[in-house]
Amino acid sequence: AALAVLHLVLHVAVAGVGKNKNRPKTSGGGGGGAGGARTQLQNSYKVTSLVMNGLLAGLGTYHFYFTLPNTTAASERIAGYEELGMLSAIIIAYNLWALPVGLAIKEPSEMIFHHVAVLLVASLPAFFTNGFRYFTPFFFGLIEISSVPLVMMNAFRENPHLDREYPITSLIAGGSFAVSFIVTRVIMWMPQSYDFCRLAFLLCYTSESFGGRAILGAGILANFFLTALQLFWARKIINGVMDVLLLSKKVKETS
């Protein structure tokens, strides 16, 4: 409910800003009619996501580096740290809001499946005793560092007039996103994902409850999907960076 109110306030603010701008009614400038309404919804969605991703990134980074000990027993990583369940509650609320809004603005299908997978994985620490809450600061917090410049980069990409007016800011947003994504969602992600899957598989293997095995198995499969998605996006990012570097090299050679 709080997210819906925040989104509504930001949507009204974005719509007001758009009306005060005397730009031509193009697809990138927030034209009238249904297209203009969708553009306003997309922009308010991005601003709301920027606020939430910044909050999650700050909380997750703090707990990852200052709350969690460097070494813990496997049992503590599985069943301890009940106080960190708040991060899973926040991420569930965020994705319950983002899923219908994402459908409304026609987000790519991989993002829709991403919302569903996150809801599934986040249900473990939110609703179960053996909830792997040790991993919540990383998976539901720290990795959102890359989402902050992503929101800004998408805003520039979908609003070409902003890219023309602030080219340096657009370049910084794109570069920051590429670096932060590779660091947090590939280099740091892989060992965290492996440790989670290893412990979840051991618990699933030793569980005597069919329901427990089903829930843990679903969590493991969702983690596999999310890991594959990070690698898929990482490949696209690397290819994009290489294209930009090759293009700039050709420009220098021809100038």
Side-chain angles (χ1 to χ4, degrees):
L3 265 175
V5 172
L6 174 63
H7 185 207
L8 177 61
V9 171
L10 292 174
H11 180 68
V12 172
V14 168
V17 171
K19 289 179 181 179
N20 291 330
K21 296 290 186 179
N22 294 319
R23 293 192 179 97
K25 293 184 179 180
T26 61
S27 60
R38 179 182 295 176
T39 299
Q40 292 174 3
L41 181 60
Q42 288 173 333
N43 290 337
S44 60
Y45 175 72
K46 288 178 175 58
V47 176
T48 308
S49 297
L50 183 64
V51 173
M52 291 305 302
N53 290 330
L55 172 65
L56 289 166
L59 288 172
T61 302
Y62 171 79
H63 286 293
F64 185 80
Y65 286 108
F66 299 105
T67 300
L68 297 179
N70 293 328
T71 57
T72 56
S75 59
E76 292 180 338
R77 296 202 296 279
I78 292 174
Y81 302 100
E82 287 80 3
E83 68 276 10
L84 296 179
M86 64 173 181
L87 288 170
S88 55
I90 295 173
I91 203 75
I92 286 175
Y94 174 55
N95 281 276
L96 283 175
W97 163 82
L99 181 58
V101 179
L103 290 170
I105 65 174
K106 296 184 178 180
E107 274 192 317
S109 57
E110 62 265 23
M111 280 303 303
I112 300 301
F113 288 120
H114 174 268
H115 294 317
V116 174
V118 170
L119 285 171
L120 183 59
V121 174
S123 297
L124 281 174
F127 305 120
F128 296 93
T129 301
N130 296 325
F132 303 88
R133 279 171 287 275
Y134 175 85
F135 298 96
T136 56
F138 178 78
F139 286 117
F140 305 144
L142 186 145
I143 63 169
E144 298 302 337
I145 290 174
S146 67
S147 299
V148 174
L150 172 63
V151 172
M152 298 175 64
M153 185 185 74
N154 284 337
F156 282 111
R157 184 176 62 185
E158 296 173 8
N159 296 274
H161 63 278
L162 293 177
D163 196 29
R164 291 191 297 269
E165 292 176 11
Y166 309 101
I168 301 300
T169 305
S170 176
L171 181 63
I172 292 174
S176 300
F177 166 65
V179 173
S180 60
F181 188 99
I182 297 300
V183 171
T184 61
R185 294 181 179 259
V186 178
I187 297 174
M188 296 179 68
W189 176 288
M190 299 308 292
Q192 293 284 330
S193 178
Y194 169 77
D195 195 27
F196 166 76
C197 287
R198 180 179 65 88
L199 295 175
F201 178 79
L202 290 174
L203 188 61
C204 181
Y205 180 75
T206 57
S207 176
E208 297 180 355
S209 167
F210 174 78
R213 290 184 176 182
I215 293 168
L216 288 167
I220 293 171
L221 290 176
N223 183 267
F224 283 162
F225 168 75
L226 290 171
T227 300
L229 196 58
Q230 309 311 311
L231 296 176
F232 169 74
W233 283 333
R235 180 181 178 184
K236 293 181 67 175
I237 291 168
I238 293 172
N239 288 340
V241 171
M242 294 301 298
D243 290 342
V244 171
L245 293 176
L246 291 175
L247 179 62
S248 62
K249 184 179 179 180
K250 289 181 180 179
V251 170
K252 288 182 180 180
E253 291 175 352
T254 55
S255 60

